């Protein structure tokens, strides 16, 4: 059965789009049929991060409003045939995302895909609430930094109260994805540690993505980091996260790109 | 950075952790379920007071102070002097 996964955070710039693309590509690489939907109406970027910006013709709002068929708006990835993208509108208003319209599009997508990844915009307004509204699973992207942790806490509250699943008395499955983590700085006491964030937010950890140059390198060329450099530290960390999402038990490690002196001293296992 | 200051450097992560714990304890407990607790309290307290004395909306001040150990809710209601009281 298809799973609807929302990638959310509250705060902007923490890595929602990077993570949506990387998780989607890693899932598709493992043979799953995946669609990644950009809910950031007016500020779409998933197309750019996935290297499909020149192939956008129709978008989510066109489909919601019935101006285009779903198949006309879906963009199939050129590297992985079982990975698709549904872009956001760059020109329309976010109010065009009606709850019924989004529900209808998601129902149609459930027939075609195994995973539907909803890349949420920052904030807690319409785009963000629509992205989480029909989700079965949530990945809360958090940086080890006070404002990001606070906003994640707020988003967790919304996931537990404003989603369809929560309103029906169910409980949405929530996972923490800690991004831009620097184990060396955390060990020096300059950055919140994995355990600090876990204790504060108290949701299970799905992965730790280390701060890495590879993330920018991948977005520069429009390729999810899991495709651009699967062997890189963030690449491996996302692949591990995907295995955990699928229910496997994978030992939690923080992959490193190069083991310098500090890496050797502090690049130890997490939690 | 001198060698001495390198070793003496205070770590900031524990401060971040403590600040977050205090803040979120409040946001979850007080603000969490009810986003506008202060406004709601103000309305309800005003309604109770108005059963006995007529009070203007503008004459009510509600303040909330948050500290590590205790929080205080301060409510100041200005009650008009009864007519003829000064006589």
């Amino acid at each position: 059965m298809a799973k609807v996964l929302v990638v959310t955070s509250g705060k902007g710039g923490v890595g929602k789009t990077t993570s949506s693309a990387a998780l989607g590509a890693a899932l598709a690489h493992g043979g799953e049929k995946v669609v990644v939907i950009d809910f950031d109406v007016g500020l779409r970027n998933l197309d750019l991060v996935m290297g499909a910006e020149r192939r956008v013709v129709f978008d989510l709002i066109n489909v919601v409003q019935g101006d285009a068929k779903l198949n006309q708006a879906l963009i199939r990835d050129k590297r992985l045939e079982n990975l698709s993208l549904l872009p956001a509108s760059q020109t329309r208003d976010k109010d065009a995302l009606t709850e019924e319209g989004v529900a209808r599009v998601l129902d149609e997508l459930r027939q075609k895909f195994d995973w539907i990844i909803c890349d949420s915009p920052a904030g807690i307004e319409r785009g963000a609430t629509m992205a989480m509204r029909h989700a079965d699973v949530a990945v809360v992207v958090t940086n080890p930094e006070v404002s990001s942790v606070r906003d994640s806490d707020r988003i967790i509250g919304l996931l537990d109260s404003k989603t369809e699943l929560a309103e029906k008395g169910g409980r949405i499955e929530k996972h923490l994805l800690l991004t831009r983590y620097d184990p060396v700085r955390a060990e020096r006491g300059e950055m919140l540690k994995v355990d600090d964030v876990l204790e504060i937010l108290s949701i299970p950890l799905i992965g730790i993505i280390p701060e890495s140059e590879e993330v920018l390198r991948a977005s520069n060329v429009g390729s999810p980091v899991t495709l651009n450099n699967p062997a890189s530290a963030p690449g491996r960390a996302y692949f591990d996260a995907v295995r955990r999402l699928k229910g496997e038990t994978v030992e939690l490690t923080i992959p490193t790109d190069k083991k310098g002196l500090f890496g050797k001293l502090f690049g130890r296992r997490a939690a | 950075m001198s060698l001495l200051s390198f070793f003496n450097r205070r770590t900031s992560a524990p401060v971040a952790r403590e600040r977050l714990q205090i803040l979120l304890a409040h946001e979850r407990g007080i603000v969490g379920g009810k986003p506008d607790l202060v406004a709601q309290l103000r309305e309800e307290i005003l309604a109770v007071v108005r059963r006995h004395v007529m009070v203007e909306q503008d004459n009510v001040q509600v303040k909330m102070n948050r500290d590590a150990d205790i929080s205080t809710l301060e409510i100041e209601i200005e009650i008009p002097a009864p007519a003829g009281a000064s006589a």
Side-chain angles (χ1 to χ4, degrees):
Chain A
M1 210 183 85
K3 271 204 171 176
V4 179
L5 181 151
V6 61
V7 177
T8 185
S9 72
K11 191 176 182 308
V14 297
K16 283 181 297 298
T17 301
T18 299
S19 298
S20 297
L23 293 172
L27 276 165
H29 189 266
E32 311 267 336
K33 285 183 277 178
V34 184
V35 61
V36 194
I37 312 178
D38 192 345
F39 274 84
D40 204 344
V41 177
L43 289 170
R44 76 167 171 231
N45 273 321
L46 188 60
D47 54 333
L48 195 54
V49 169
M50 291 180 71
E53 71 276 12
R54 300 205 300 189
R55 298 168 63 206
V56 177
V57 183
F58 294 110
D59 57 56
L60 174 63
I61 287 183
N62 293 139
V63 182
V64 164
Q65 298 193 328
D67 298 331
K69 294 235 167 64
L70 184 58
N71 277 332
Q72 293 176 292
L74 285 173
I75 302 170
R76 185 171 288 187
D77 191 89
K78 287 203 161 149
R79 297 148 296 210
L80 290 171
E81 63 161 3
N82 49 338
L83 176 64
S84 293
L85 160 72
L86 185 53
S89 170
Q90 187 71 325
T91 51
R92 306 291 275 278
D93 195 89
K94 62 183 183 301
D95 294 333
L97 284 179
T98 60
E99 187 172 340
E100 304 72 38
V102 172
R104 189 168 40 76
V105 173
L106 288 177
D107 280 340
E108 208 176 325
L109 288 168
R110 278 177 200 269
Q111 312 299 316
K112 298 170 186 273
F113 294 95
D114 302 317
W115 289 86
I116 299 159
I117 299 180
C118 304
D119 179 20
S120 173
I124 51 172
E125 289 185 40
R126 190 166 190 86
T129 52
M130 280 300 124
M132 69 166 68
R133 182 78 194 143
H134 308 279
D136 307 304
V137 190
V139 167
V140 180
V141 183
T142 307
N143 288 169
E145 181 271 324
V146 287
S147 57
S148 174
V149 176
R150 180 198 208 174
D151 291 0
S152 292
D153 190 77
R154 186 80 196 278
I155 282 291
I156 291 168
L158 292 178
L159 287 166
D160 286 333
S161 60
K162 301 285 182 205
T163 52
E164 200 178 34
L165 202 61
E167 283 176 6
K168 283 182 184 160
R171 220 173 157 74
I172 189 164
E173 193 185 310
K174 300 177 293 289
H175 302 281
L176 178 72
L177 184 67
L178 195 59
T179 55
R180 307 200 70 163
Y181 191 69
D182 184 336
V184 177
R185 297 198 72 190
E187 201 52 49
R188 282 193 206 138
E190 295 172 8
M191 180 184 270
L192 288 167
K193 287 188 184 179
V194 178
D195 288 346
D196 294 334
V197 182
L198 281 177
E199 192 193 323
I200 293 167
L201 295 179
S202 51
I203 60 170
L205 185 63
I206 195 84
I208 305 162
I209 313 300
E211 171 82 62
S212 165
E213 295 170 359
E214 289 298 325
V215 172
L216 180 59
R217 194 166 289 148
S219 82
N220 282 344
V221 298
S223 173
V225 69
T226 42
L227 290 186
N228 199 53
N229 192 351
S232 65
R236 283 180 284 149
Y238 278 117
F239 270 104
D240 280 354
V242 155
R243 287 170 62 195
R244 291 184 199 105
L245 259 183
K246 285 160 61 173
E248 281 181 53
T249 309
V250 185
E251 196 185 6
L252 254 169
T253 56
I254 309 169
T256 45
D257 277 327
K258 278 173 276 170
K259 280 224 164 179
L261 178 62
F262 273 118
K264 279 184 187 137
L265 283 174
F266 300 115
R268 46 167 231 191
R269 213 173 286 148
Chain B
M1 189 192 298
S2 76
L3 199 62
L4 191 70
S5 70
F6 179 84
F7 286 112
N8 279 342
R9 188 166 44 176
R10 285 206 339 266
T11 56
S12 55
V15 181
R17 177 195 153 102
E18 200 185 317
R19 288 176 60 217
L20 271 170
Q21 281 172 331
I22 293 165
L23 173 73
L24 294 181
H26 280 95
E27 287 192 343
R28 284 171 190 155
I30 299 172
V31 184
K34 293 172 183 171
D36 210 358
L37 180 81
V38 173
Q40 201 182 337
L41 276 174
R42 180 195 158 100
E43 286 311 308
E44 288 182 19
I45 289 167
L46 198 60
V48 171
V49 174
R50 272 192 185 146
R51 277 191 227 150
H52 307 280
V53 200
M54 195 49 222
V55 190
E56 289 300 319
Q57 190 86 19
D58 296 340
N59 296 347
V60 183
Q61 299 285 331
V62 180
K63 283 184 205 155
M64 192 176 262
N65 257 309
R66 295 163 180 183
D67 260 314
D69 301 321
I70 52 159
S71 298
T72 55
L73 180 69
E74 190 184 317
I75 300 161
E76 192 183 313
I77 305 174
E78 204 178 299
I79 297 171
S86 56

